[in-house]
Amino acid sequence: MHDPVNSPAHYGSPHGVECIDAIKASMSQLEYEGYLKGSIQKYVWRWREKGGVEDLQKANWYLTVLINENSH
């Protein structure tokens, strides 16, 4: 099933590594949290002009990841 918010096909890998996991592995925790915050801001900023509710759902996805990163 196509899910552009939780599992966009263009972020996968033929090797089984998700893009978000590779990004996290390449950054410090503080850098990764900044990346998540920036992604949230990007999707909220443009939601009316570009992606509509789907962009809000993507912002929420990144917000959930950020919350989970700080819940331990």
Short mmCIF file of all heavy atoms in Angstrom, two decimals:
data_model
loop_
_atom_site.label_atom_id
_atom_site.label_comp_id
_atom_site.label_asym_id
_atom_site.label_seq_id
_atom_site.Cartn_x
_atom_site.Cartn_y
_atom_site.Cartn_z
N MET A 1 0.83 -1.19 0.00
CA MET A 1 0.00 0.00 0.00
C MET A 1 0.88 1.25 0.00
O MET A 1 1.81 1.36 0.79
CB MET A 1 -0.91 -0.03 1.22
CG MET A 1 -1.82 1.14 1.34
SD MET A 1 -2.91 0.86 2.76
CE MET A 1 -3.79 2.35 2.76
N HIS A 2 0.58 2.18 -0.85
CA HIS A 2 1.33 3.43 -0.96
C HIS A 2 1.06 4.32 0.26
O HIS A 2 -0.09 4.62 0.56
CB HIS A 2 0.94 4.15 -2.25
CG HIS A 2 1.59 5.47 -2.43
ND1 HIS A 2 2.94 5.61 -2.64
CD2 HIS A 2 1.08 6.72 -2.43
CE1 HIS A 2 3.22 6.90 -2.77
NE2 HIS A 2 2.11 7.59 -2.64
N ASP A 3 2.11 4.71 0.97
CA ASP A 3 1.97 5.58 2.14
C ASP A 3 3.03 6.67 2.07
O ASP A 3 4.16 6.49 2.54
CB ASP A 3 2.12 4.77 3.43
CG ASP A 3 1.86 5.59 4.68
OD1 ASP A 3 1.80 6.83 4.60
OD2 ASP A 3 1.73 4.99 5.75
N PRO A 4 2.70 7.82 1.47
CA PRO A 4 3.69 8.88 1.26
C PRO A 4 4.13 9.59 2.54
O PRO A 4 5.09 10.34 2.53
CB PRO A 4 2.99 9.85 0.32
CG PRO A 4 1.54 9.64 0.60
CD PRO A 4 1.39 8.18 0.94
N VAL A 5 3.46 9.35 3.65
CA VAL A 5 3.82 10.00 4.91
C VAL A 5 4.73 9.10 5.74
O VAL A 5 5.83 9.49 6.13
CB VAL A 5 2.56 10.39 5.72
CG1 VAL A 5 2.96 10.93 7.09
CG2 VAL A 5 1.73 11.40 4.97
N ASN A 6 4.32 7.88 6.01
CA ASN A 6 5.06 7.01 6.91
C ASN A 6 6.11 6.14 6.23
O ASN A 6 7.06 5.69 6.88
CB ASN A 6 4.09 6.11 7.68
CG ASN A 6 3.20 6.92 8.59
OD1 ASN A 6 3.67 7.60 9.48
ND2 ASN A 6 1.91 6.86 8.35
N SER A 7 5.96 5.93 4.95
CA SER A 7 6.91 5.08 4.24
C SER A 7 7.00 5.46 2.77
O SER A 7 6.64 4.68 1.89
CB SER A 7 6.48 3.61 4.38
OG SER A 7 7.46 2.77 3.87
N PRO A 8 7.51 6.67 2.49
CA PRO A 8 7.61 7.08 1.08
C PRO A 8 8.62 6.21 0.33
O PRO A 8 9.73 5.97 0.82
CB PRO A 8 8.08 8.53 1.17
CG PRO A 8 8.59 8.73 2.55
CD PRO A 8 7.98 7.67 3.41
N ALA A 9 8.22 5.73 -0.81
CA ALA A 9 9.06 4.81 -1.59
C ALA A 9 10.42 5.41 -1.93
O ALA A 9 11.43 4.71 -1.94
CB ALA A 9 8.32 4.40 -2.86
N HIS A 10 10.47 6.70 -2.18
CA HIS A 10 11.72 7.33 -2.62
C HIS A 10 12.74 7.49 -1.49
O HIS A 10 13.85 7.92 -1.73
CB HIS A 10 11.44 8.68 -3.28
CG HIS A 10 10.71 9.66 -2.42
ND1 HIS A 10 9.34 9.59 -2.22
CD2 HIS A 10 11.14 10.72 -1.71
CE1 HIS A 10 8.97 10.58 -1.42
NE2 HIS A 10 10.04 11.28 -1.11
N TYR A 11 12.38 7.16 -0.23
CA TYR A 11 13.34 7.21 0.87
C TYR A 11 13.86 5.84 1.28
O TYR A 11 14.67 5.73 2.16
CB TYR A 11 12.73 7.90 2.09
CG TYR A 11 12.62 9.40 1.94
CD1 TYR A 11 11.45 10.05 2.29
CD2 TYR A 11 13.66 10.16 1.43
CE1 TYR A 11 11.33 11.43 2.16
CE2 TYR A 11 13.54 11.53 1.28
CZ TYR A 11 12.37 12.15 1.65
OH TYR A 11 12.25 13.50 1.52
N GLY A 12 13.38 4.82 0.64
CA GLY A 12 13.85 3.47 0.93
C GLY A 12 15.18 3.20 0.27
O GLY A 12 15.80 4.07 -0.33
N SER A 13 15.61 1.96 0.35
CA SER A 13 16.89 1.60 -0.23
C SER A 13 16.81 0.15 -0.69
O SER A 13 16.20 -0.68 -0.03
CB SER A 13 18.00 1.73 0.81
OG SER A 13 19.17 1.08 0.39
N PRO A 14 17.46 -0.15 -1.79
CA PRO A 14 17.49 -1.55 -2.21
C PRO A 14 18.27 -2.42 -1.24
O PRO A 14 18.19 -3.63 -1.27
CB PRO A 14 18.17 -1.49 -3.58
CG PRO A 14 18.93 -0.22 -3.59
CD PRO A 14 18.16 0.73 -2.70
N HIS A 15 19.00 -1.79 -0.32
CA HIS A 15 19.80 -2.52 0.66
C HIS A 15 19.11 -2.62 2.01
O HIS A 15 19.69 -3.10 2.98
CB HIS A 15 21.17 -1.87 0.82
CG HIS A 15 21.89 -1.72 -0.49
ND1 HIS A 15 22.37 -2.78 -1.21
CD2 HIS A 15 22.16 -0.62 -1.22
CE1 HIS A 15 22.92 -2.34 -2.33
NE2 HIS A 15 22.80 -1.03 -2.36
N GLY A 16 17.89 -2.11 2.11
CA GLY A 16 17.13 -2.24 3.34
C GLY A 16 17.41 -1.17 4.38
O GLY A 16 16.94 -1.29 5.51
N VAL A 17 18.16 -0.14 4.05
CA VAL A 17 18.47 0.93 4.99
C VAL A 17 17.55 2.11 4.70
O VAL A 17 17.52 2.61 3.57
CB VAL A 17 19.94 1.37 4.89
CG1 VAL A 17 20.23 2.54 5.82
CG2 VAL A 17 20.86 0.21 5.18
N GLU A 18 16.81 2.54 5.70
CA GLU A 18 15.95 3.71 5.53
C GLU A 18 16.81 4.97 5.54
O GLU A 18 17.78 5.07 6.31
CB GLU A 18 14.93 3.79 6.67
CG GLU A 18 13.86 2.73 6.61
CD GLU A 18 12.83 3.00 5.54
OE1 GLU A 18 12.57 4.17 5.20
OE2 GLU A 18 12.26 2.01 5.03
N CYS A 19 16.44 5.95 4.75
CA CYS A 19 17.16 7.21 4.66
C CYS A 19 17.28 7.88 6.03
O CYS A 19 18.35 8.35 6.40
CB CYS A 19 16.46 8.13 3.67
SG CYS A 19 17.29 9.69 3.38
N ILE A 20 16.20 7.90 6.81
CA ILE A 20 16.22 8.55 8.12
C ILE A 20 17.24 7.90 9.04
O ILE A 20 17.90 8.57 9.84
CB ILE A 20 14.80 8.57 8.76
CG1 ILE A 20 14.74 9.47 9.99
CG2 ILE A 20 14.32 7.18 9.09
CD1 ILE A 20 14.69 10.93 9.69
N ASP A 21 17.42 6.59 8.94
CA ASP A 21 18.40 5.89 9.76
C ASP A 21 19.83 6.25 9.36
O ASP A 21 20.70 6.41 10.21
CB ASP A 21 18.19 4.38 9.69
CG ASP A 21 16.85 3.95 10.27
OD1 ASP A 21 16.35 4.62 11.20
OD2 ASP A 21 16.28 2.95 9.78
N ALA A 22 20.05 6.38 8.06
CA ALA A 22 21.38 6.78 7.58
C ALA A 22 21.70 8.21 8.01
O ALA A 22 22.82 8.52 8.41
CB ALA A 22 21.46 6.65 6.06
N ILE A 23 20.69 9.09 7.95
CA ILE A 23 20.89 10.48 8.39
C ILE A 23 21.24 10.51 9.87
O ILE A 23 22.20 11.16 10.28
CB ILE A 23 19.63 11.32 8.09
CG1 ILE A 23 19.49 11.53 6.58
CG2 ILE A 23 19.68 12.66 8.83
CD1 ILE A 23 18.15 12.12 6.15
N LYS A 24 20.48 9.77 10.68
CA LYS A 24 20.74 9.74 12.12
C LYS A 24 22.14 9.22 12.42
O LYS A 24 22.85 9.77 13.27
CB LYS A 24 19.70 8.87 12.83
CG LYS A 24 19.88 8.83 14.32
CD LYS A 24 18.81 8.01 15.01
CE LYS A 24 19.03 8.03 16.51
NZ LYS A 24 17.99 7.25 17.22
N ALA A 25 22.55 8.18 11.71
CA ALA A 25 23.87 7.60 11.94
C ALA A 25 25.00 8.55 11.58
O ALA A 25 26.11 8.43 12.11
CB ALA A 25 24.02 6.30 11.14
N SER A 26 24.73 9.53 10.72
CA SER A 26 25.78 10.44 10.27
C SER A 26 25.90 11.69 11.14
O SER A 26 26.75 12.54 10.87
CB SER A 26 25.52 10.86 8.82
OG SER A 26 24.45 11.78 8.74
N MET A 27 25.06 11.82 12.17
CA MET A 27 25.00 13.05 12.96
C MET A 27 25.12 12.77 14.45
O MET A 27 24.81 11.67 14.91
CB MET A 27 23.65 13.75 12.73
CG MET A 27 23.39 14.19 11.33
SD MET A 27 21.75 14.94 11.18
CE MET A 27 21.88 15.65 9.56
N SER A 28 25.51 13.81 15.18
CA SER A 28 25.42 13.74 16.63
C SER A 28 23.95 13.82 17.02
O SER A 28 23.09 14.18 16.19
CB SER A 28 26.19 14.90 17.27
OG SER A 28 25.51 16.13 17.03
N GLN A 29 23.62 13.52 18.26
CA GLN A 29 22.23 13.60 18.72
C GLN A 29 21.69 15.03 18.56
O GLN A 29 20.56 15.22 18.11
CB GLN A 29 22.11 13.15 20.18
CG GLN A 29 20.70 13.07 20.70
CD GLN A 29 19.83 12.04 19.98
OE1 GLN A 29 20.31 11.07 19.42
NE2 GLN A 29 18.52 12.25 20.01
N LEU A 30 22.48 16.02 18.91
CA LEU A 30 22.05 17.41 18.80
C LEU A 30 21.81 17.79 17.33
O LEU A 30 20.82 18.45 17.01
CB LEU A 30 23.08 18.34 19.44
CG LEU A 30 22.70 19.80 19.53
CD1 LEU A 30 21.43 19.98 20.38
CD2 LEU A 30 23.84 20.60 20.12
N GLU A 31 22.70 17.37 16.45
CA GLU A 31 22.52 17.64 15.02
C GLU A 31 21.25 16.97 14.49
O GLU A 31 20.49 17.57 13.74
CB GLU A 31 23.73 17.14 14.23
CG GLU A 31 24.98 17.95 14.47
CD GLU A 31 26.21 17.29 13.87
OE1 GLU A 31 26.27 16.05 13.76
OE2 GLU A 31 27.15 18.04 13.52
N TYR A 32 21.03 15.72 14.90
CA TYR A 32 19.85 14.98 14.44
C TYR A 32 18.57 15.66 14.91
O TYR A 32 17.61 15.80 14.14
CB TYR A 32 19.93 13.54 14.94
CG TYR A 32 18.79 12.67 14.48
CD1 TYR A 32 18.53 12.46 13.13
CD2 TYR A 32 17.98 12.03 15.41
CE1 TYR A 32 17.49 11.66 12.71
CE2 TYR A 32 16.94 11.22 15.00
CZ TYR A 32 16.70 11.03 13.66
OH TYR A 32 15.66 10.22 13.25
N GLU A 33 18.55 16.11 16.15
CA GLU A 33 17.37 16.81 16.66
C GLU A 33 17.14 18.12 15.88
O GLU A 33 16.01 18.50 15.61
CB GLU A 33 17.50 17.08 18.15
CG GLU A 33 17.40 15.81 18.97
CD GLU A 33 17.70 15.98 20.44
OE1 GLU A 33 17.96 17.12 20.89
OE2 GLU A 33 17.68 14.97 21.15
N GLY A 34 18.22 18.79 15.51
CA GLY A 34 18.10 20.00 14.69
C GLY A 34 17.55 19.68 13.31
O GLY A 34 16.74 20.43 12.76
N TYR A 35 17.99 18.57 12.74
CA TYR A 35 17.47 18.12 11.45
C TYR A 35 15.96 17.86 11.55
O TYR A 35 15.18 18.29 10.68
CB TYR A 35 18.20 16.86 10.99
CG TYR A 35 17.49 16.11 9.90
CD1 TYR A 35 17.53 16.56 8.58
CD2 TYR A 35 16.75 14.98 10.20
CE1 TYR A 35 16.85 15.89 7.59
CE2 TYR A 35 16.06 14.29 9.20
CZ TYR A 35 16.12 14.75 7.90
OH TYR A 35 15.44 14.09 6.91
N LEU A 36 15.54 17.17 12.61
CA LEU A 36 14.12 16.89 12.79
C LEU A 36 13.33 18.17 12.94
O LEU A 36 12.27 18.35 12.32
CB LEU A 36 13.92 15.99 14.01
CG LEU A 36 14.51 14.57 13.91
CD1 LEU A 36 14.44 13.88 15.27
CD2 LEU A 36 13.84 13.75 12.83
N LYS A 37 13.84 19.10 13.75
CA LYS A 37 13.16 20.38 13.95
C LYS A 37 13.04 21.15 12.64
O LYS A 37 11.98 21.71 12.32
CB LYS A 37 13.93 21.23 14.98
CG LYS A 37 13.31 22.57 15.25
CD LYS A 37 14.15 23.38 16.23
CE LYS A 37 13.61 24.79 16.38
NZ LYS A 37 14.50 25.63 17.18
N GLY A 38 14.10 21.17 11.85
CA GLY A 38 14.07 21.85 10.57
C GLY A 38 13.06 21.22 9.61
O GLY A 38 12.37 21.93 8.87
N SER A 39 12.96 19.91 9.63
CA SER A 39 11.99 19.22 8.77
C SER A 39 10.57 19.57 9.18
O SER A 39 9.71 19.79 8.33
CB SER A 39 12.22 17.71 8.83
OG SER A 39 13.47 17.39 8.27
N ILE A 40 10.32 19.62 10.48
CA ILE A 40 9.00 20.02 10.99
C ILE A 40 8.66 21.42 10.49
O ILE A 40 7.58 21.66 9.95
CB ILE A 40 8.96 19.97 12.53
CG1 ILE A 40 9.11 18.54 13.02
CG2 ILE A 40 7.68 20.61 13.07
CD1 ILE A 40 9.53 18.43 14.48
N GLN A 41 9.60 22.34 10.66
CA GLN A 41 9.36 23.73 10.24
C GLN A 41 9.11 23.83 8.74
O GLN A 41 8.24 24.58 8.30
CB GLN A 41 10.55 24.59 10.65
CG GLN A 41 10.64 24.78 12.14
CD GLN A 41 11.91 25.51 12.56
OE1 GLN A 41 12.99 25.22 12.08
NE2 GLN A 41 11.76 26.44 13.48
N LYS A 42 9.86 23.06 7.95
CA LYS A 42 9.71 23.10 6.49
C LYS A 42 8.30 22.69 6.09
O LYS A 42 7.65 23.38 5.30
CB LYS A 42 10.73 22.17 5.84
CG LYS A 42 10.51 21.94 4.36
CD LYS A 42 11.48 20.94 3.78
CE LYS A 42 11.14 19.54 4.25
NZ LYS A 42 11.96 18.50 3.62
N TYR A 43 7.82 21.58 6.63
CA TYR A 43 6.51 21.10 6.23
C TYR A 43 5.38 22.00 6.73
O TYR A 43 4.39 22.21 6.01
CB TYR A 43 6.30 19.66 6.69
CG TYR A 43 7.08 18.68 5.84
CD1 TYR A 43 8.11 17.91 6.37
CD2 TYR A 43 6.80 18.53 4.48
CE1 TYR A 43 8.83 17.02 5.60
CE2 TYR A 43 7.51 17.64 3.69
CZ TYR A 43 8.52 16.90 4.25
OH TYR A 43 9.22 16.02 3.46
N VAL A 44 5.51 22.55 7.92
CA VAL A 44 4.49 23.46 8.43
C VAL A 44 4.50 24.76 7.61
O VAL A 44 3.45 25.32 7.29
CB VAL A 44 4.67 23.73 9.93
CG1 VAL A 44 3.77 24.86 10.41
CG2 VAL A 44 4.40 22.47 10.74
N TRP A 45 5.68 25.23 7.27
CA TRP A 45 5.84 26.48 6.53
C TRP A 45 5.11 26.45 5.18
O TRP A 45 4.48 27.42 4.78
CB TRP A 45 7.33 26.73 6.31
CG TRP A 45 7.66 28.03 5.66
CD1 TRP A 45 7.70 28.28 4.32
CD2 TRP A 45 7.99 29.26 6.30
NE1 TRP A 45 8.06 29.59 4.09
CE2 TRP A 45 8.25 30.21 5.30
CE3 TRP A 45 8.13 29.63 7.63
CZ2 TRP A 45 8.61 31.51 5.59
CZ3 TRP A 45 8.49 30.93 7.91
CH2 TRP A 45 8.72 31.86 6.90
N ARG A 46 5.20 25.33 4.48
CA ARG A 46 4.72 25.28 3.10
C ARG A 46 3.41 24.55 2.90
O ARG A 46 2.94 24.41 1.78
CB ARG A 46 5.78 24.63 2.23
CG ARG A 46 5.92 23.13 2.49
CD ARG A 46 6.99 22.52 1.66
NE ARG A 46 6.82 21.06 1.63
CZ ARG A 46 7.68 20.26 1.07
NH1 ARG A 46 8.77 20.74 0.49
NH2 ARG A 46 7.46 18.97 1.07
N TRP A 47 2.77 24.09 3.96
CA TRP A 47 1.64 23.18 3.80
C TRP A 47 0.50 23.76 2.96
O TRP A 47 -0.10 23.05 2.18
CB TRP A 47 1.14 22.68 5.15
CG TRP A 47 0.31 23.65 5.95
CD1 TRP A 47 0.76 24.63 6.77
CD2 TRP A 47 -1.11 23.71 6.00
NE1 TRP A 47 -0.28 25.30 7.33
CE2 TRP A 47 -1.46 24.75 6.88
CE3 TRP A 47 -2.13 22.98 5.40
CZ2 TRP A 47 -2.77 25.09 7.15
CZ3 TRP A 47 -3.44 23.32 5.69
CH2 TRP A 47 -3.74 24.36 6.56
N ARG A 48 0.22 25.03 3.08
CA ARG A 48 -0.88 25.62 2.30
C ARG A 48 -0.52 25.76 0.82
O ARG A 48 -1.39 25.64 -0.04
CB ARG A 48 -1.28 26.98 2.85
CG ARG A 48 -2.03 26.90 4.14
CD ARG A 48 -2.74 28.22 4.42
NE ARG A 48 -3.30 28.24 5.75
CZ ARG A 48 -4.51 27.77 6.05
NH1 ARG A 48 -5.26 27.24 5.12
NH2 ARG A 48 -4.96 27.82 7.28
N GLU A 49 0.73 26.04 0.50
CA GLU A 49 1.13 26.29 -0.88
C GLU A 49 1.56 25.04 -1.63
O GLU A 49 1.58 25.04 -2.85
CB GLU A 49 2.29 27.30 -0.91
CG GLU A 49 1.89 28.72 -0.58
CD GLU A 49 1.68 28.96 0.91
OE1 GLU A 49 2.33 28.27 1.73
OE2 GLU A 49 0.86 29.82 1.27
N LYS A 50 1.93 23.98 -0.92
CA LYS A 50 2.48 22.84 -1.63
C LYS A 50 1.73 21.55 -1.37
O LYS A 50 1.03 21.06 -2.22
CB LYS A 50 3.96 22.66 -1.28
CG LYS A 50 4.61 21.58 -2.13
CD LYS A 50 6.08 21.51 -2.00
CE LYS A 50 6.60 20.44 -2.95
NZ LYS A 50 7.87 19.93 -2.62
N GLY A 51 1.85 21.00 -0.17
CA GLY A 51 1.37 19.64 0.06
C GLY A 51 0.07 19.50 0.82
O GLY A 51 -0.41 18.39 1.01
N GLY A 52 -0.49 20.59 1.28
CA GLY A 52 -1.75 20.52 2.02
C GLY A 52 -1.64 19.68 3.27
O GLY A 52 -0.61 19.65 3.94
N VAL A 53 -2.70 18.96 3.57
CA VAL A 53 -2.76 18.15 4.79
C VAL A 53 -1.65 17.10 4.83
O VAL A 53 -1.12 16.80 5.90
CB VAL A 53 -4.15 17.48 4.92
CG1 VAL A 53 -4.17 16.47 6.05
CG2 VAL A 53 -5.22 18.54 5.15
N GLU A 54 -1.25 16.60 3.67
CA GLU A 54 -0.15 15.63 3.65
C GLU A 54 1.13 16.22 4.24
O GLU A 54 1.86 15.53 4.95
CB GLU A 54 0.10 15.12 2.23
CG GLU A 54 1.13 14.01 2.18
CD GLU A 54 1.29 13.44 0.80
OE1 GLU A 54 0.32 12.87 0.27
OE2 GLU A 54 2.40 13.58 0.24
N ASP A 55 1.41 17.48 3.97
CA ASP A 55 2.59 18.12 4.57
C ASP A 55 2.43 18.25 6.08
O ASP A 55 3.41 18.11 6.82
CB ASP A 55 2.86 19.49 3.94
CG ASP A 55 3.76 19.41 2.71
OD1 ASP A 55 4.11 18.28 2.30
OD2 ASP A 55 4.10 20.46 2.17
N LEU A 56 1.23 18.51 6.56
CA LEU A 56 1.00 18.55 8.01
C LEU A 56 1.21 17.17 8.62
O LEU A 56 1.76 17.05 9.73
CB LEU A 56 -0.40 19.08 8.33
CG LEU A 56 -0.66 20.53 7.97
CD1 LEU A 56 -2.13 20.87 8.25
CD2 LEU A 56 0.27 21.47 8.71
N GLN A 57 0.81 16.14 7.92
CA GLN A 57 1.03 14.78 8.41
C GLN A 57 2.52 14.45 8.45
O GLN A 57 3.00 13.79 9.37
CB GLN A 57 0.28 13.78 7.52
CG GLN A 57 -1.21 13.88 7.66
CD GLN A 57 -1.95 13.10 6.60
OE1 GLN A 57 -1.49 12.95 5.46
NE2 GLN A 57 -3.13 12.60 6.96
N LYS A 58 3.25 14.93 7.46
CA LYS A 58 4.71 14.72 7.45
C LYS A 58 5.36 15.48 8.60
O LYS A 58 6.26 14.95 9.27
CB LYS A 58 5.31 15.15 6.11
CG LYS A 58 4.94 14.21 4.99
CD LYS A 58 5.48 14.70 3.65
CE LYS A 58 5.07 13.78 2.53
NZ LYS A 58 5.60 14.22 1.23
N ALA A 59 4.92 16.70 8.86
CA ALA A 59 5.44 17.46 10.00
C ALA A 59 5.16 16.70 11.29
O ALA A 59 6.03 16.61 12.17
CB ALA A 59 4.81 18.86 10.05
N ASN A 60 3.98 16.14 11.39
CA ASN A 60 3.62 15.36 12.57
C ASN A 60 4.49 14.12 12.71
O ASN A 60 4.88 13.75 13.82
CB ASN A 60 2.14 14.97 12.50
CG ASN A 60 1.67 14.31 13.76
OD1 ASN A 60 1.72 14.90 14.84
ND2 ASN A 60 1.18 13.09 13.65
N TRP A 61 4.83 13.48 11.59
CA TRP A 61 5.70 12.31 11.60
C TRP A 61 7.06 12.68 12.20
O TRP A 61 7.56 12.00 13.09
CB TRP A 61 5.86 11.75 10.19
CG TRP A 61 6.60 10.45 10.14
CD1 TRP A 61 6.07 9.20 10.20
CD2 TRP A 61 8.03 10.28 10.05
NE1 TRP A 61 7.07 8.26 10.15
CE2 TRP A 61 8.28 8.90 10.06
CE3 TRP A 61 9.10 11.16 9.96
CZ2 TRP A 61 9.57 8.36 9.98
CZ3 TRP A 61 10.38 10.63 9.89
CH2 TRP A 61 10.61 9.25 9.90
N TYR A 62 7.63 13.78 11.72
CA TYR A 62 8.92 14.23 12.25
C TYR A 62 8.81 14.65 13.72
O TYR A 62 9.71 14.40 14.51
CB TYR A 62 9.50 15.37 11.41
CG TYR A 62 10.14 14.90 10.13
CD1 TYR A 62 9.46 14.96 8.92
CD2 TYR A 62 11.44 14.39 10.13
CE1 TYR A 62 10.05 14.52 7.74
CE2 TYR A 62 12.03 13.94 8.96
CZ TYR A 62 11.34 14.00 7.77
OH TYR A 62 11.93 13.56 6.62
N LEU A 63 7.71 15.27 14.09
CA LEU A 63 7.49 15.66 15.48
C LEU A 63 7.42 14.42 16.38
O LEU A 63 8.01 14.40 17.47
CB LEU A 63 6.22 16.50 15.62
CG LEU A 63 5.89 16.98 17.03
CD1 LEU A 63 7.02 17.83 17.62
CD2 LEU A 63 4.59 17.77 17.01
N THR A 64 6.75 13.40 15.92
CA THR A 64 6.68 12.15 16.69
C THR A 64 8.06 11.54 16.88
O THR A 64 8.41 11.08 17.97
CB THR A 64 5.73 11.16 15.99
OG1 THR A 64 4.42 11.73 15.94
CG2 THR A 64 5.67 9.83 16.73
N VAL A 65 8.88 11.56 15.84
CA VAL A 65 10.25 11.05 15.95
C VAL A 65 11.03 11.87 16.96
O VAL A 65 11.73 11.33 17.82
CB VAL A 65 10.95 11.04 14.57
CG1 VAL A 65 12.43 10.68 14.72
CG2 VAL A 65 10.26 10.08 13.61
N LEU A 66 10.89 13.20 16.90
CA LEU A 66 11.59 14.09 17.85
C LEU A 66 11.13 13.82 19.28
O LEU A 66 11.96 13.75 20.19
CB LEU A 66 11.37 15.54 17.46
CG LEU A 66 12.09 16.59 18.30
CD1 LEU A 66 13.60 16.39 18.29
CD2 LEU A 66 11.73 17.98 17.80
N ILE A 67 9.85 13.64 19.47
CA ILE A 67 9.32 13.31 20.81
C ILE A 67 9.91 11.99 21.28
O ILE A 67 10.38 11.88 22.43
CB ILE A 67 7.78 13.27 20.80
CG1 ILE A 67 7.22 14.68 20.63
CG2 ILE A 67 7.25 12.61 22.07
CD1 ILE A 67 5.74 14.71 20.30
N ASN A 68 9.90 10.99 20.42
CA ASN A 68 10.45 9.68 20.80
C ASN A 68 11.93 9.75 21.12
O ASN A 68 12.42 9.04 22.01
CB ASN A 68 10.17 8.66 19.71
CG ASN A 68 8.72 8.29 19.60
OD1 ASN A 68 7.94 8.49 20.54
ND2 ASN A 68 8.31 7.80 18.46
N GLU A 69 12.66 10.60 20.42
CA GLU A 69 14.10 10.75 20.68
C GLU A 69 14.34 11.33 22.08
O GLU A 69 15.41 11.16 22.64
CB GLU A 69 14.74 11.67 19.64
CG GLU A 69 14.94 11.04 18.30
CD GLU A 69 15.98 9.93 18.31
OE1 GLU A 69 17.05 10.08 18.94
OE2 GLU A 69 15.71 8.87 17.69
N ASN A 70 13.37 12.04 22.61
CA ASN A 70 13.55 12.72 23.89
C ASN A 70 12.71 12.11 25.02
O ASN A 70 12.56 12.72 26.06
CB ASN A 70 13.22 14.20 23.72
CG ASN A 70 14.31 14.90 22.95
OD1 ASN A 70 15.34 15.24 23.49
ND2 ASN A 70 14.10 15.05 21.65
N SER A 71 12.19 10.93 24.78
CA SER A 71 11.34 10.27 25.78
C SER A 71 12.09 9.21 26.58
O SER A 71 11.48 8.45 27.30
CB SER A 71 10.13 9.61 25.07
OG SER A 71 9.32 10.59 24.51
N HIS A 72 13.37 9.19 26.48
CA HIS A 72 14.13 8.18 27.23
C HIS A 72 14.94 8.77 28.33
O HIS A 72 15.11 9.88 28.53
CB HIS A 72 15.01 7.35 26.31
CG HIS A 72 15.84 8.13 25.31
ND1 HIS A 72 15.52 9.37 24.83
CD2 HIS A 72 16.98 7.84 24.69
CE1 HIS A 72 16.42 9.79 23.97
NE2 HIS A 72 17.33 8.87 23.87
#
